[in-house]
Amino acid sequence: MIKRNFALRIAVAAVGAVAAASVFAACSQTVTPSTTEPAAGGNKTIGIAVADQKSLFYVAAVDGMEQAAKEAGYKLITLSANNNSSQQVNQVQDLITQQVGAIIFIAQDATSAAAGVKLANDAGIPIIAVDQKPESGDGKLATYIATDSVKAAEELCTWLFDQIGGAGDLAILQGPLGATAELQRSEGCDKALANYPDINVVAMESANWDETEAFTAAQNILTANPNLKAFFGESDAMAMGAAKAAKQDGREGLFFVGIDGFPTMFEAITGGLTQATMAQQPYLMGQMSVKNAVQIAEGKTADVPELQYMDTVLVTKENVADNDPTKFYGPDF
């Protein structure tokens, strides 16, 4: 079985973050201003630093933020880093310069994110992390809101292994190496693997949460492994990319599972392209992050827990019709 060295991968990610720091000044910014207007009086502006606005997860989270900000009478300044970690730290600095009352941080990279947290701390601006948790540094978060990815992956992989009879060859498509969710989802599946000695991991490759990258990676994995039984995609997009590669190759009878709960994954399960997803709740996470920011701004810091894990739901062919994807991703999906 292929083993992982988490400490080594974190160290490699840290080296990359140090290298990226040298180009901070050269990075440009993508600004997506909110249409929400501030209420009169006080600092009612919240800064949003989000990894990108292409991923359905992040789009849904920001939608939830906008809905909650509108209800509370707060203004949002939303900056998307287009998956550039050094650019994102610059954007946190820009939000600090604009003297926002709080920053909600959906980090592109868990290691370099520590620099952004420290900058906000030094400026006295509370910072709320969503999805990604900074993995190094001495910065302090007001709260961390996320899916318990270890638990979600362990439950999903356990379900998958039972479906394939507890034995056979497995391929794993990972997120960006060193990212919080990637590390936790790998850890969770490792916990499940410990209970299934006859499951053999024959391939692991990072596809960076991306369907197209997963499609290409899966083509190579399928060619090299004619007896493959299943793919565990650490995201829905990667699971769907692998499923499409297998379909194009004429490979039948394989299982494809992911984590996210994308509306497109619901459709894929219904149509038989994939078999299961662990549905997250990004819209609710976005709402909660703004509500917490408002509580902090209004002096109710003690009411905000340091850690808030959102539940996931295992969606399969048996229950997909009973689950509405808008519950997880908001009314716009």
Side-chain angles (χ1 to χ4, degrees), residues 160-220:
L160 172 62
F161 300 160
D162 286 340
Q163 303 307 303
I164 62 175
D169 291 350
L170 171 73
I172 299 175
L173 294 173
Q174 304 158 286
L177 299 183
T180 304
E182 181 273 319
L183 290 170
Q184 291 180 347
R185 292 172 190 182
S186 293
E187 179 184 348
C189 198
D190 273 349
K191 287 188 173 185
L193 283 165
N195 297 319
Y196 292 83
D198 294 325
I199 297 291
N200 184 33
V201 180
V202 295
M204 285 194 308
E205 189 167 339
S206 173
N208 296 306
W209 311 132
D210 184 77
E211 181 175 323
T212 301
E213 288 189 41
F215 181 91
T216 301
Q219 284 181 312
N220 296 330

Side-chain angles (χ1 to χ4, degrees), residues 239-241 243-244 247 254-256 267-275:
M240 286 192 288
K244 290 175 182 178
K247 184 176 181 179
L254 278 72
F255 275 71
F256 305 89
E267 295 171 3
I269 292 170
T270 300
L273 180 66
T274 61
Q275 284 71 40

Side-chain angles (χ1 to χ4, degrees), residues 249-274:
D249 195 42
R251 296 280 287 272
E252 297 180 351
L254 278 72
F255 275 71
F256 305 89
V257 303
I259 298 177
D260 278 317
F262 287 166
T264 48
M265 189 65 155
F266 278 54
E267 295 171 3
I269 292 170
T270 300
L273 180 66
T274 61

